[in-house]
Amino acid sequence: MLHSKIIGEGTPLLILHGFLGMSDNWKTLGNEFSKKGYEVHLIDQRNHGRSFHSDHFSYELMAEDLLNYMNHHGLQQVNLLGHSMGGKTAMLFATLHPQKVEKLIIADIAPKYYPPHHQDILDGLNALNFNTINSRTEADKELSSYISIKSVRQFLLKNLYWQEKESLGFRFNLKALTKNVNQIGAALPKEAKYNGYTLFLRGSNSDYIQPIDDLVIKNHFPLATTTTITNAGHWLHAENPKMFLDTVLEFLND
């Protein structure tokens, strides 16, 4: 069963993080949604956070994980929000189980295919030797040779924890994610369609959703609208949380 943190009471809102992220990344926004009458489920997807590790990885499997999660918690219908990789999971789940999704929110990802583009990050993470690295500071120093942007390194190193006394490790399953990295950018199946209300959010400084992508979005999600979150890149929910929160709430409450 997927690990989650459940906050508040009210209408269920399930939130799925992106690649190499975890549910804790959404804790601040999750608290804000809970104050507005939502029972917020911050979910760790397989091979991430505190959820189970598996050699197998695909969006079909992650959609099945989500269905099992909903059945376990007795959730009949939910609002579903996914960022990046989590958005791909959310899209596929909504097309497979439309009756279970009241409204769908997709953050900075389109239904199209994305070529692999995480190799430098994965190379850096795999190069870390926890036999000699004994602190987050040391890990950050080593990782800087591969990843120059400090905020990206800080995001990744939130996954560090003490596996046992004096032995650091990552919460995500680095081996499985490295092996299956080509699956991360998979396109939504051509025939997949969800006819419910859908909101796509793009960061103004991100190139993940292009104007031309409106065509493929509408093919899969006929009732979709796309809104730009200003002064934000791919991590739009972290870079402009107020506009992100206000925009999502307006959509949910409409």
Side-chain angles (χ1 to χ4, degrees):
M1 185 56 54
L2 296 176
H3 174 271
S4 71
K5 181 173 184 179
I6 303 173
I7 310 169
E9 298 178 353
T11 304
L13 171 63
L14 276 54
I15 300 180
L16 303 176
H17 60 79
F19 183 57
L20 299 175
M22 56 182 170
S23 57
D24 282 0
N25 301 146
W26 287 83
K27 188 163 55 178
T28 301
L29 272 174
N31 285 324
E32 292 302 314
F33 283 120
S34 73
K35 294 174 185 177
K36 301 298 182 180
Y38 291 92
E39 179 184 271
V40 182
H41 294 245
L42 304 177
I43 297 172
D44 286 327
Q45 298 188 85
R46 68 165 56 204
N47 291 320
H48 290 78
R50 290 173 173 82
S51 281
F52 61 89
H53 286 189
S54 170
D55 290 336
H56 304 291
F57 178 97
S58 70
Y59 286 113
E60 288 76 15
L61 286 172
M62 290 195 286
E64 184 178 339
D65 291 342
L66 188 57
L67 179 63
N68 292 336
Y69 177 89
M70 287 182 59
N71 289 338
H72 176 79
H73 288 277
L75 300 171
Q76 299 302 314
Q77 191 178 53
V78 302
N79 294 300
L80 184 56
L81 189 166
H83 171 242
S84 199
M85 180 191 78
K88 285 287 185 79
T89 304
M91 281 188 262
L92 181 60
F93 182 86
T95 64
L96 293 174
H97 309 285
Q99 74 282 3
K100 293 189 172 294
V101 180
E102 184 175 356
K103 289 186 177 181
L104 179 66
I105 305 106
I106 305 299
D108 212 53
I109 200 78
K112 67 182 181 181
Y113 168 75
Y114 290 83
H117 54 281
H118 300 97
Q119 201 55 53
D120 287 347
I121 288 175
L122 291 172
D123 287 346
L125 294 172
N126 279 291
L128 297 181
N129 182 358
F130 291 119
N131 292 320
T132 59
I133 293 172
N134 296 303
S135 71
R136 190 182 302 268
T137 300
E138 291 176 13
D140 182 64
K141 182 179 179 181
E142 292 293 324
L143 204 55
S144 66
S145 300
Y146 295 84
I147 304 166
S148 60
I149 303 173
K150 186 174 183 179
S151 61
V152 174
R153 298 199 305 272
Q154 290 175 331
F155 165 78
L156 295 168
L157 293 176
K158 285 181 180 179
N159 288 279
L160 274 183
Y161 78 113
W162 294 102
Q163 291 180 318
E164 50 191 66
K165 190 176 181 181
E166 298 182 358
S167 178
L168 282 169
F170 287 118
R171 291 201 180 278
F172 47 63
N173 185 351
L174 182 58
K175 181 180 178 181
L177 295 175
T178 301
K179 176 184 174 183
N180 294 287
V181 66
N182 290 335
Q183 297 290 328
I184 302 297
L188 200 62
K190 289 182 179 179
E191 71 281 1
K193 185 168 287 192
Y194 171 69
N195 291 311
Y197 292 110
T198 306
L199 175 65
F200 279 79
L201 298 171
R202 64 175 297 274
S204 61
N205 301 326
S206 171
D207 60 0
Y208 272 70
I209 299 181
Q210 300 287 338
I212 195 171
D213 295 331
D214 286 342
L215 294 173
V216 69
I217 287 172
K218 285 290 188 180
N219 282 339
H220 293 288
F221 305 95
L223 297 183
T225 57
T226 301
T227 299
T228 298
I229 303 298
T230 59
N231 301 314
H234 185 54
W235 285 279
L236 61 179
H237 55 291
E239 295 172 42
N240 193 344
K242 185 180 186 306
M243 185 176 181
F244 186 94
L245 176 70
D246 291 346
T247 304
V248 173
L249 286 173
E250 182 180 358
F251 171 72
L252 291 175
N253 296 330
D254 185 4

